[in-house]
Amino acid sequence: MNDIQLYDKKFEVFIKADELKHIVSSLAKKINESNLENPLFIVVLNGSFLFASDLIKKIEIPNTEISFMKISSYIGVNSSGKLKKIFGIEKDISNRNIFIIEDIVDSGNTIHEVVKILNNKNVKNIKIITLLYKPDAYKKKIKIDYIGKSISNDFVVGYGLDYNDLGRNLSNIYKLKE
Ligand code: IMP
Ligand code: MG
């Protein structure tokens, strides 16, 4: 019951919308406690859009700003390893306190690339927020500062995450059924 089908694959409920709400609230609480001055939240599109919109509504740090960048690495259910920067941050962000908002950190290739791009812009401070984290897949050294939930190496969809562009609209997160 509650399974869904996207193209050729079946998925089962993994993290319900209620639990996602709790995860987002507790992340927001921790981020608010950091109280970094005039923070700029950078949403890494597409996957993070629902998570980011729920999270940002709960951020109470004064003078909070939001911007977007788009990077893509996944084709199907495997990380392609090749990253495409579709669009980035145009304005001057030197000396700013940055929070990166990611949907999921898998191999870490994407977050590594995003951090590299931002460091070239001479920002003051970078904190990484991710809804989901796959510790067994992570291959990089960069510290992930705020993790919603660590998960096993399963492929997941829903709440912004997609399988070849399907599944982003689902309010639960589902995992691939073997
Ligand atoms: P990484 O570069 O391997 O860390 O992968 C990060 C990006 O790949 C994420 O921002 C997602 O967009 C996508 N991704 C990684 N794992 C999954 C998954 O299980 N489902 C859907 N997308 C994923
Ligand atoms: Mg993403």
Side-chain angles (χ1 to χ4, degrees), residues 6-168:
L6 301 174
Y7 298 113
D8 54 325
K9 306 219 182 300
K10 280 203 166 58
F11 294 83
E12 61 192 353
V13 177
F14 180 44
I15 311 170
K16 292 211 172 116
D18 267 358
E19 187 183 345
L20 289 168
K21 248 187 178 167
H22 282 110
I23 291 171
V24 171
S25 296
S26 83
L27 278 173
K29 190 163 173 275
K30 286 180 202 143
I31 295 160
N32 284 332
E33 281 160 10
S34 75
N35 239 320
L36 286 163
E37 203 173 72
N38 185 208
L40 173 62
F41 288 78
I42 296 180
V43 182
V44 183
L45 296 172
N46 293 328
S48 310
F49 81 107
L50 285 183
F51 168 52
S53 70
D54 286 343
L55 181 73
I56 210 78
K57 283 182 269 184
K58 296 185 184 300
I59 297 302
E60 290 163 356
I61 307 175
N63 304 315
T64 284
E65 292 178 34
I66 304 158
S67 198
F68 302 88
M69 67 190 272
K70 183 162 176 175
I71 280 227
S72 164
S73 80
Y74 252 68
I75 299 170
V77 296
N78 293 302
S79 185
S80 69
K82 287 190 209 103
L83 291 167
K84 277 194 295 186
K85 182 173 118 189
I86 319 281
F87 60 82
I89 309 289
E90 306 306 332
K91 70 174 188 177
D92 179 15
I93 56 168
S94 56
N95 230 16
R96 294 293 302 269
N97 290 312
I98 309 289
F99 286 95
I100 299 168
I101 306 185
E102 257 290 20
D103 49 355
I104 185 163
V105 175
D106 186 297
S107 68
N109 287 333
T110 306
I111 205 68
H112 188 264
E113 188 64 24
V114 170
V115 166
K116 200 169 93 187
I117 292 167
L118 296 176
N119 274 331
N120 282 337
K121 293 178 178 287
N122 299 314
V123 299
K124 185 186 203 171
N125 191 301
I126 300 175
K127 300 272 185 211
I128 300 168
I129 307 163
T130 188
L131 175 64
L132 301 175
Y133 172 55
K134 297 182 186 173
D136 299 332
Y138 192 60
K139 292 193 296 249
K140 301 288 178 185
K141 296 232 155 60
I142 303 167
K143 180 180 169 224
I144 313 296
D145 302 276
Y146 301 93
I147 295 171
K149 190 181 174 92
S150 293
I151 63 168
S152 54
N153 269 355
D154 295 298
F155 185 79
V156 295
V157 295
Y159 195 56
L161 291 148
D162 72 304
Y163 168 46
N164 285 344
D165 287 328
L166 295 187
R168 294 195 198 276

